[in-house]
Amino acid sequence: MGEPGRDTSGVTTRVVVLYVRQHGGDQAVAALLDHARETRSVEELLDEHGWSTYEQKIRLFQAAVAVLGDAGAVRKIGQFMLRSRIALPLLVLLRALGSPEQVLRNVAKANSRFSTNSTVQALEVGNGHAIVTYHLHDGYVPDPLDCQYTEGLGSLVPEVFGLPAATVQHEQCQVHGAPACRYRLSWRPRHRWGRRAQAENAHLRDQLDAVTQRFQELQSVAADLVSTGDVSTVLARIATKASHAVRAPRYLLAARATQASPLQVHHQGFTEEGASALGERLIRGEPLEHLGSWLVADIASARCHYGKLGAVYSQQEPFFPEERQLLVAYARQAAAALDAATALEEARARHATSRVLLQLAEALANLATPDEVAARIAAAVPGVVAADRSTVSLWDAGAQRLSTVATHGWPTELEPLIEEFSVRPSDTPELADMLTDARPRCYRRGSTDDSLVEDALTRFGLTSLVVVPIVARGEFFGVVTAATADGRPPLESRDDTEARLIGLANQAAVALSNARLLAQERSTLAELRRSEAQVKHQAAHDALTGLANRALFSDRLQATLDEGVGVAVLFVDLDDFKAVNDSFGHAVGDDLLVAVSARLGAGMRSGDIVARLGGDEFAVLLGGADERAAVQTAERLIDALGMPLALPGATITVRASLGIAMAFPGTTNVGEVLRNADVAMYAAKQAGKGRFAIFEPGMHTRALDLIEQEHDLLEAIDQDQFVLRYQPVVELASGRMVGVEALVRWRHPTRGLLAPSEFIPLAETSGLIVDLGRSILERACRQATRWRGGTELMLGVNLSARQLTDHGLCRPGRCDADGDRAAGRATGARDHRDRPAEQRARPGAGGAAGGGGPGRAGRLRHRLFLPGAPAALPGGLHFAKPMSNNALGRLIDQPQRPHRGGQSPTSEPPARSVIGR
């Protein structure tokens, strides 16, 4: 049997295609492929280095006969092969034998170059004649066309030497049952006159062409091999080029680029498994003759012995001496090419190492932690040296321990073991030496005296291990290790290997040092960022309650308005919060604000914003809310805030007034929205507090009027525009005047003299009642000091309930004049504590101060008695001397002007009225 799929040389298919093209053109060639059911392309059939099966050859012969319509076409194709100089190297080789007789004696060698499924033998060779047999191996069906092809080849043997073609007689045929085809050849053994010289010239020309062709092929081989990108490709091309030069059905190349490199096997005609096994045997020099006929050449140069190249026949077919020379020439060319390729590979390896180190340096510049650096270093090791496993271990100076922190290339089952591996200087002297000596260490299993290292090599299945310390500025950071597993060539203690790993370790040292500095910087930066975030938070939030402040609330409101959606803003102000501060202290007031903030935020949606604008003022932003939703929220907040608040040291019930301002799509002015909500809030307060009001355009006008009135009132206090009138109090039984009551009027610059009912309510709501009442009390007391006499006289001054929370109401010495002190008794203040709860005035509740006429619910009357003996008044005010009725009567009857600034105070005229007691 021939080789599977390799029965017939590509020379045969090439001859068939070229003959059909010459006699029928490309159209005939296309018909040839179609008739032969050929799946290969024309280019593949023209490749004389390819092979075909016997069946494919017969189908091509049949197709040629059918397409050309010539029953003798196949015999002519056989003759065409030798006449067309298609196999020129083979022709030259045959001519080198010297005569047709010598060619026929070596016909078996020649046939093996074209067919592996047949055997040709010369039974008899004489001068001008020969008997040759052709035997088709068992398993193949003989075909007459194959016989014709053989006849055509045989007839042209004499023409190789310039002689006329031979006459061929087909005496026996295997097609008809003979054991082999038998051919008798006869030819004229001598040249005719003149033809010898022509034959010799033709022979010389063919030899020159053949040599030129071989030289060009060798040049092409050298150029191809040197320009090839890697050693593996070089070896593959060697096998291919050798098969072209020396025709054999199978070829095998086994070589190593370096002694430490794995064996590479390239072949044609073998299975992968069979080629690998034969390659190992071939390179070891084992005899292989029992496996067929082998022609073997060493691939070697002065630099290195790389391997062997062999051409193989499964039968014991002989080789021509010239074929051995060609194979040796190709093997030498291959060795030279391998020298260049190996040198190039080494240069590329060095370049790749440099590139890896450069890329590593760039990558390390962006890594922040020692663990990240270690992982990147471990991954880079296989790109620097021929290691398949690597680790990076870092040194813990505090714990005096070297521990693995990064691995690469380890099997899954070993990763937990290697990651847990750690060692102390006390465990091995090797580590103790590394702390002071940064030289690389190379260990091979079975060749180290250190028990820990040897145990580690065995435990982790390693053949070799190279350890390089990581040191920067004398500081030991750890080690980089490169290892090879069982079955891999061990790492050698070579200068280039150690230099590459040292370069890697140096980069690791710099990166680890930088990582430490970077960690410190990042820690500092993180602290700064936390501080910055805290400052930003403080700038946008209220320090006491943690709510958004006015600036943040305004920004969020502006952003919501810019989105073009409707919003509602609720302005919240606690009613009478000042009274809480004055009564319980600021600490309780702060606790109250915090508790109120919590209640405000408890009922809000996730997108709503609650802010403290300042003091006891809050604001709520309801995004996308309509008026109904805003009203519901306001009612809920009023109810929530109305519940008692248990604070440290007191339980307080507080009320709040709310103003609602709606901002519809298209509104953009934040200040206008807040102002509208504020105006609505004040409207709620004026309506009775503890309620809400929705902003209406008219509120703004009323608010402006109120602000103007407050301004006028404040200006009136500063400019002493208030005058006092004194109303006598007469005892009906005796008709005797027993006292006076101070009554206040406002001499308005444009409106004239105003009664208390026109300005006291404004003073109450604005808080100016405290300053106004204090001024009235002081002036009344000073007036009383001027009314000297020996008779007891009562002075009455009306106070607002809010004035009772004023700690400066009765400061000692407030009413001092001319060395005398006023004395009296505040019956209103005394009686207030004894009244039922429902009749008591709350701090900050509305009331009139210094006003006559119809009283208000919150009015308290302070009566100052002017007796002969002093009587106590809250704050220590006393009258030192009694005032006579005559003196008082004279003062009452005399009209007085109000005093200003630094002028001497004068008395003011009383109102003339008598009241019952």
Side-chain angles (χ1 to χ4, degrees), residues 532-604:
E532 180 183 4
Q534 184 177 2
V535 170
K536 288 183 177 179
H537 184 273
Q538 291 174 349
H541 293 78
D542 178 58
L544 176 63
T545 64
L547 297 177
N549 60 14
R550 180 182 292 271
L552 179 58
F553 185 84
S554 299
D555 289 343
R556 296 292 176 84
L557 176 56
Q558 184 65 68
T560 307
L561 294 176
D562 291 342
E563 292 175 1
V565 298
V567 298
V569 172
L570 278 60
F571 201 104
V572 184
D573 185 86
L574 302 183
D575 295 332
D576 306 319
F577 176 72
K578 186 177 184 301
V580 175
N581 273 340
D582 293 340
S583 301
F584 298 99
H586 288 282
V588 174
D590 289 348
D591 292 338
L592 175 61
L593 292 175
V594 173
V596 168
S597 299
R599 288 197 176 179
L600 289 175
M604 295 297 107

Side-chain angles (χ1 to χ4, degrees), residues 10 16 107 205 208 216 244 319 436 500 587 784 798 866:
V16 173
V107 69
R205 185 174 64 254
L208 180 60
Q216 290 175 347
H244 294 174
F319 289 91
T436 56
R500 294 174 186 176
N798 292 319
L866 307 178

Side-chain angles (χ1 to χ4, degrees), residues 57 78 253 285 324 531 547 595 723 741 888 892:
K57 179 182 73 171
L253 184 150
R324 177 176 296 277
S531 299
L547 297 177
V723 296
E741 182 177 359
L888 179 60
I892 292 176

Side-chain angles (χ1 to χ4, degrees), residues 761-897:
L762 177 60
E764 288 276 358
T765 57
S766 65
L768 294 176
I769 190 65
V770 175
D771 292 336
L772 177 59
R774 185 182 303 163
S775 173
I776 293 171
L777 181 59
E778 288 181 356
R779 291 172 61 183
C781 289
R782 287 193 179 96
Q783 184 64 61
T785 60
R786 296 182 178 86
W787 290 339
R788 307 279 179 96
T791 303
E792 182 183 79
L793 183 68
M794 180 184 67
L795 174 64
V797 180
N798 292 319
L799 295 181
S800 167
R802 180 172 290 187
Q803 289 179 262
L804 298 181
T805 63
D806 179 18
H807 296 293
L809 174 65
C810 296
R811 289 200 308 270
R814 174 184 295 276
C815 299
D816 190 288
D818 299 328
D820 297 330
R821 307 182 68 83
R825 184 157 44 99
T827 60
R830 177 197 61 201
D831 295 341
H832 174 70
R833 292 190 299 270
D834 300 331
R835 293 176 184 173
E838 63 273 10
Q839 297 178 7
R840 296 176 187 172
R842 295 188 309 274
R856 293 172 59 89
R859 180 185 300 168
L860 295 177
R861 173 171 294 180
H862 289 247
R863 295 179 179 179
L864 301 181
F865 290 93
L866 307 178
L873 183 70
L877 297 179
H878 300 278
F879 283 107
K881 298 179 180 180
M883 178 179 289
S884 65
N885 285 337
N886 295 334
L888 179 60
R890 288 193 299 270
L891 288 174
I892 292 176
D893 292 335
Q894 295 176 0
Q896 305 289 334
R897 292 177 299 174

Side-chain angles (χ1 to χ4, degrees), residues 474-762:
E475 182 180 1
F476 179 74
F477 284 90
V479 297
V480 178
T481 61
T484 54
D486 289 341
R488 294 290 304 276
L491 292 169
E492 301 291 340
S493 180
R494 293 167 40 183
D495 292 341
D496 59 341
T497 300
E498 294 179 356
R500 294 174 186 176
L501 289 175
I502 288 174
L504 195 67
N506 289 340
Q507 290 203 22
V510 174
L512 289 172
S513 179
N514 291 340
R516 288 186 179 180
L517 294 176
L518 184 59
Q520 296 174 357
E521 291 178 359
R522 289 193 170 179
S523 176
T524 303
L525 182 59
E527 183 63 29
L528 291 175
R529 286 178 176 171
R530 284 193 294 271
S531 299
E532 180 183 4
Q534 184 177 2
V535 170
K536 288 183 177 179
H537 184 273
Q538 291 174 349
H541 293 78
D542 178 58
L544 176 63
T545 64
L547 297 177
N549 60 14
R550 180 182 292 271
L552 179 58
F553 185 84
S554 299
D555 289 343
R556 296 292 176 84
L557 176 56
Q558 184 65 68
T560 307
L561 294 176
D562 291 342
E563 292 175 1
V565 298
V567 298
V569 172
L570 278 60
F571 201 104
V572 184
D573 185 86
L574 302 183
D575 295 332
D576 306 319
F577 176 72
K578 186 177 184 301
V580 175
N581 273 340
D582 293 340
S583 301
F584 298 99
H586 288 282
V588 174
D590 289 348
D591 292 338
L592 175 61
L593 292 175
V594 173
V596 168
S597 299
R599 288 197 176 179
L600 289 175
M604 295 297 107
R605 302 171 301 179
S606 60
D608 297 338
I609 299 174
V610 179
R612 182 188 178 202
L613 303 184
D616 60 341
E617 294 180 342
F618 300 85
V620 178
L621 173 62
L622 304 176
D626 56 13
E627 184 175 301
R628 179 181 178 184
V631 169
Q632 292 175 348
T633 302
E635 292 174 342
R636 186 172 64 251
L637 292 180
I638 290 176
D639 292 341
L641 295 177
M643 300 295 292
L645 292 169
L647 304 177
T651 298
I652 298 177
T653 300
V654 67
R655 295 191 305 170
S657 298
L658 279 71
I660 302 174
M662 301 302 300
F664 300 102
T667 303
T668 60
N669 193 321
V670 171
E672 179 183 353
V673 177
L674 284 174
R675 183 174 63 250
N676 293 344
D678 192 11
V679 168
M681 182 272 296
Y682 275 106
K685 281 189 177 293
Q686 290 177 345
K689 303 182 181 179
R691 63 190 65 198
F692 69 88
I694 302 175
F695 176 77
E696 298 176 357
M699 290 181 179
H700 191 210
T701 302
R702 292 193 294 272
L704 292 178
D705 292 342
L706 183 61
I707 292 172
E708 184 177 355
Q709 293 175 19
E710 289 181 0
H711 177 267
D712 291 346
L713 183 60
L714 179 61
E715 191 176 63
I717 296 173
D718 292 339
Q719 297 179 3
D720 288 337
Q721 295 179 4
F722 294 94
V723 296
L724 293 180
R725 295 290 183 265
Y726 296 93
Q727 178 172 280
V729 179
V730 178
E731 187 178 42
L732 294 178
S734 61
R736 184 172 62 90
M737 185 178 66
V738 296
V740 294
E741 182 177 359
L743 305 175
V744 66
R745 302 291 187 270
W746 180 5
R747 183 177 285 112
H748 196 280
T750 59
R751 298 171 60 189
L753 196 64
L754 302 179
S757 61
E758 298 190 51
F759 60 85
I760 291 300
L762 177 60

Side-chain angles (χ1 to χ4, degrees), residues 104 356 435:
L104 292 174
V356 168
L435 295 176

